[in-house]
């Protein structure tokens, strides 16, 4: 037989094996649970969209749209893109469904899934990554901004991210940004040897200059005029209310007037959560208001919104880096071992009974020796081993061993499933 190499995984597309995959899901679940407590309901949208959803929604000047999208033509020649973020697709879906006119606003959605960006892979930055997000659509109320920001804060605290910080800014309204663009462009006109990335994008969106990683740019931008000084009274008041509500709840936020974030749709509130235990890629989540996004996507009226996305992969990294244990449940509660291969069908029947009674259980395969089976039982994390032996089978009993206490006793074969089901439920209740 010809020996072939195992195909490599795609660069930047990680595998998650047990137990990490379970930890990953536990984080996802906690984020979604926190959102559900505030009435956010699950929404599922496709992993790919027509490219214009992102080019119009996320914005032509962004790194995401300019360089990072996985875009391809399908067999019908349509340009499709694997979603690089969640908001544009969720807003598109809400507009398609006529949500703005259906009443009952704001609507609150939560979602979890895979996202794709062609970035240079490094620790905490992948080409396929996972986010949990929430979006609240159809309201301008600053209390909704505060709710959204607070939920992200609480969700990250709840999963155990340590040294969490929150940076906030207001980008004002679009009109403010238009005026400010002129002010900022005038400032950039006076900078000698502007790096090519800023030079290229400044006419689409000069705010990107704050994100530039080119050498010396951070120092230059430290003297740049700030958007926060050029925003109107209404967004300024909006921002004050959001901040006051958050401070009222004891959230230690810091103001960062250079926080513009990488997506063009933001207006007014923007924010980012950072984890102290991560290195360069320390943003575990972020978001903001996007009051013009619906119109960018072609909706004829204003339909404001606000949301965040938390990075699940990066959160897991942060938690691991800080040495916090993520509780994972044992693989099974009960392991059934047989003293003789002829009893395998009885073991099969017993695990089926147990599983039907809601008890996670497993048995050995491949006709292994008792010693080997007990090893597998041990590795399975099971609390109880049930041993099915020929003498016991003849008497209608099995042996149940409690691996926590070492206690061993006989139990009637036709009662053991109910007995273990009760014990497993009692154990869950006690935990
Ligand atoms: P963004 O959609 O860019 O606002 O990102 C929100 C969060 O998603 C970030 O704070 C990260 O935690 C996570 N994230 C974004 N891009 C990546 C990536 N390439 N790899 C891993 N996580 C990412």
């Amino acid at each position: 037989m010809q020996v072939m190499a195992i195909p490599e995984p795609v660069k930047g597309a990680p595998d998650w094996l047990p137990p990490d995959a379970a930890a990953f899901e536990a984080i996802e679940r906690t984020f979604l649970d926190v959102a559900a407590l505030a009435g956010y309901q699950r929404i599922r949208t496709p992993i790919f969209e027509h490219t214009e959803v992102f080019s119009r929604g996320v914005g032509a000047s962004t790194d995401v749209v300019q360089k990072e999208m996985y875009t391809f033509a399908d067999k019908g020649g349509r340009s499709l893109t694997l979603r690089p973020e969640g908001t544009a697709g969720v807003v598109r879906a809400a507009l398609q469904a006529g949500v703005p006119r259906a009443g009952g606003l704001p609507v609150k959605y939560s979602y979890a899934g895979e996202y794709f960006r062609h970035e240079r892979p490094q620790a905490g930055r992948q080409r396929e990554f996972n986010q949990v997000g929430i979006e609240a659509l159809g309201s301008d109320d600053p209390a909704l901004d505060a709710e959204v920001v607070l939920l992200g804060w609480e969700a990250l605290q709840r999963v155990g991210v340590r040294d969490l910080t929150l940076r906030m800014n207001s980008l004002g309204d679009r009109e403010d940004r238009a005026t400010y663009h002129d002010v900022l462009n005038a400032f950039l006109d006076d900078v000698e040897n502007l790096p090519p990335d800023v030079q290229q994008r400044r006419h689409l969106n000069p705010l990107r200059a704050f994100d530039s990683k080119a050498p010396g740019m951070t120092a230059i931008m430290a003297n740049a005029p700030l958007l926060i000084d050029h925003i109107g009274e209404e967004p300024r008041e909006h921002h004050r209310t959001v901040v006051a509500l958050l401070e009222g709840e004891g959230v230690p936020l810091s103001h960062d007037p250079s926080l513009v974030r990488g997506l063009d749709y933001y207006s007014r509130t923007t924010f980012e959560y950072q984890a102290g235990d991560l290195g360069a890629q320390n943003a575990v989540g972020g978001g903001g208001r996007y009051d013009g996004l619906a119109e960018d996507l072609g909706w004829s009226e204003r339909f404001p919104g606000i949301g965040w996305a938390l990075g699940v992969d990066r959160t897991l990294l942060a938690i691991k880096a800080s040495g916090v244990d993520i509780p994972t449940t044992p693989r099974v509660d009960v392991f059934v071992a047989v003293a003789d291969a002829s009893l395998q069908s009885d073991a099969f029947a017993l695990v089926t009974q147990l599983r039907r009674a809601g008890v996670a259980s497993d048995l050995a395969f491949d006709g292994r020796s008792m010693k080997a089976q007990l090893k597998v039982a041990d590795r399975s994390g099971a609390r109880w081993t049930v041993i099915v032996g020929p003498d016991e089978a003849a008497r209608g009993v099995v042996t149940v061993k409690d691996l926590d206490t070492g206690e061993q006793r006989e139990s009637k074969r036709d009662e053991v499933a109910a007995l273990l089901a009760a014990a497993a439920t009692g154990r869950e209740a006690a935990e």
Side-chain angles (χ1 to χ4, degrees), residues 117 119 124-126 129 131 261 263 283-286 309 311 314:
R117 293 183 196 170
E119 299 193 83
R125 174 172 291 179
Q126 296 138 213
F129 57 98
Q131 292 182 336
R261 301 197 32 81
L263 314 172
V284 279
R314 232 180 254 177

Side-chain angles (χ1 to χ4, degrees), residues 12 64 68 84-87 115-132 261-263 265-266 271-273 278 281-287 308-315 317:
V64 169
E68 295 171 359
E85 58 87 59
T87 306
Y115 297 85
F116 306 86
R117 293 183 196 170
H118 196 276
E119 299 193 83
R120 198 166 53 76
Q122 52 186 287
R125 174 172 291 179
Q126 296 138 213
R127 291 181 172 169
E128 181 185 309
F129 57 98
N130 284 256
Q131 292 182 336
V132 170
R261 301 197 32 81
L263 314 172
Y265 48 57
Y266 288 121
F271 53 96
E272 197 163 276
Y273 309 99
L278 290 178
Q281 308 300 324
N282 64 354
V284 279
W308 47 241
L310 308 180
V312 180
D313 317 58
R314 232 180 254 177
T315 300
L317 271 185

Side-chain angles (χ1 to χ4, degrees), residues 174-217:
R174 289 212 166 167
E175 310 79 68
D176 303 324
R177 278 166 74 173
T179 323
Y180 173 69
H181 279 191
D182 295 340
V183 175
L184 189 56
N185 268 320
F187 169 82
L188 294 173
D189 282 342
D190 291 338
V191 177
E192 276 172 34
N193 303 324
L194 214 50
D197 66 322
V198 180
Q199 196 61 269
Q200 259 168 28
R201 292 190 293 182
R202 59 180 287 202
H203 296 294
L204 276 172
N205 184 358
L207 271 129
R208 292 269 79 82
F210 285 104
D211 285 342
S212 172
K213 303 278 181 293
M217 260 326 265

